[in-house]
Amino acid sequence: MAATRILAQGVFVFLVITCVGAESEPRTILVGDSQGWQAGTNYTQWAIQNSPFHINDTLLFKYPGNSTTLAQSVYLLPNQWSYITCEFRGAKLLGNATEGDGEGFKVELNQLKPYYFASAEGNFYDCIAGLSKFVAVPSTSSG
């Protein structure tokens, strides 16, 4: 009886450790899917559909290959207030309007913090309208 209880407790502990410690493999996620990073796109909706993001996932920013779409820069904004108000002072330019051509450029989500992405083109019109910006908040768990 005692051996059965010890075995059951061991199996339970193993299952808990397995579930808690289960980390998903880092993913490379194409921002905007096949449409890429371009003007006039609701990336907040895209982020909701592609979440959850996990620590060490990589976001790949690629610009559309056609000349009819205005290429957009990508900035990492410093905080939520900057994101809400589209204030780019203190923002870090991650890729200008040409760096997303070809293979694009990557941003690794390697810290447990919100990442506020936005574009500043067109007098911030898209940003103010809620377009060409999104938040990615990586987590450590896969479930």
Side-chain angles (χ1 to χ4, degrees):
M1 185 73 160
T4 305
R5 184 179 328 137
I6 291 172
L7 179 61
Q9 288 174 341
V11 169
F12 176 74
V13 169
F14 173 76
L15 290 174
V16 168
I17 290 172
T18 302
C19 290
V20 170
E23 297 282 330
S24 62
E25 287 294 317
R27 303 175 295 163
T28 297
I29 306 159
L30 178 59
V31 176
D33 300 320
S34 63
Q35 300 301 310
W37 181 256
Q38 61 182 336
T41 301
N42 185 337
Y43 290 102
T44 299
Q45 187 62 38
W46 171 87
I48 291 168
Q49 293 170 347
N50 285 274
S51 64
F53 299 103
H54 301 290
I55 197 75
N56 296 324
D57 279 352
T58 299
L59 300 179
L60 174 60
F61 289 86
K62 288 181 75 170
Y63 303 155
N66 61 48
S67 60
T68 61
T69 304
L70 176 66
Q72 299 280 291
S73 59
V74 180
Y75 284 86
L76 181 63
L77 300 174
N79 54 48
Q80 185 178 18
W81 178 253
S82 297
Y83 178 80
I84 291 168
T85 61
C86 297
E87 174 57 62
F88 284 80
R89 276 186 295 217
K92 178 182 179 184
L93 178 64
L94 300 176
N96 65 32
T98 61
E99 291 180 86
D101 291 341
E103 296 300 312
F105 64 92
K106 296 178 180 181
V107 177
E108 185 177 350
L109 305 177
N110 56 12
Q111 296 180 35
L112 291 174
K113 67 171 194 167
Y115 288 80
Y116 301 100
F117 298 101
S119 176
E121 265 66 46
N123 293 325
F124 315 112
Y125 174 78
D126 277 0
C127 184
I128 292 167
L131 306 171
S132 298
K133 69 181 190 175
F134 71 97
V135 179
V137 183
S139 70
T140 58
S141 66
S142 60

